[in-house]
Amino acid sequence: MVHQGKEEKLREMAMAALRKKFYERSGADLDALASFLSTQGFWKQFSLNALRKLSALMHFKHFSVDSTVITQGERGEAFFVCLSGKLDVHQ
């Protein structure tokens, strides 16, 4: 039997929480998201409390290969986090 690592389990729990509508997330979902984010680069600088509050507002959106996330000149109304894959920036 293959045992999942703690980090992978935390990532799966966070992804499951993200797939829920933000208003349907439980306290446990917010804790999982905050805990996962606290292990990731940029997000390490924030307190768990701040990450938990942010987790309550996050929306999950999947982009297909070669799709445009945002176009230069558009009004910025979102902060995007790439969970997997890569993004190219063009001017």
Side-chain angles (χ1 to χ4, degrees), residues 10-20 32-33 36 60 83:
L10 186 58
R11 184 181 197 288
E12 283 185 16
M13 291 170 58
M15 290 302 298
L18 271 176
R19 286 187 178 98
K20 294 179 182 179
L33 273 168
F36 173 71
F60 179 81
L83 296 174

Side-chain angles (χ1 to χ4, degrees), residues 27-46:
D29 290 331
L30 298 179
D31 290 341
L33 273 168
S35 294
F36 173 71
L37 288 172
S38 73
T39 68
Q40 305 300 305
F42 171 78
W43 304 103
K44 289 180 181 181
Q45 65 185 307
F46 298 100

Side-chain angles (χ1 to χ4, degrees), residues 61 63-64 66-71 74 80 87-88:
K61 185 164 185 175
F63 292 93
S64 300
D66 293 328
S67 63
T68 300
V69 175
I70 191 167
T71 302
E74 285 182 349
F80 294 95
L87 301 174
D88 290 322

Side-chain angles (χ1 to χ4, degrees), residues 34 38 43-53:
S38 73
W43 304 103
K44 289 180 181 181
Q45 65 185 307
F46 298 100
S47 70
L48 277 176
N49 187 48
L51 292 173
R52 193 174 195 281
K53 288 178 182 178

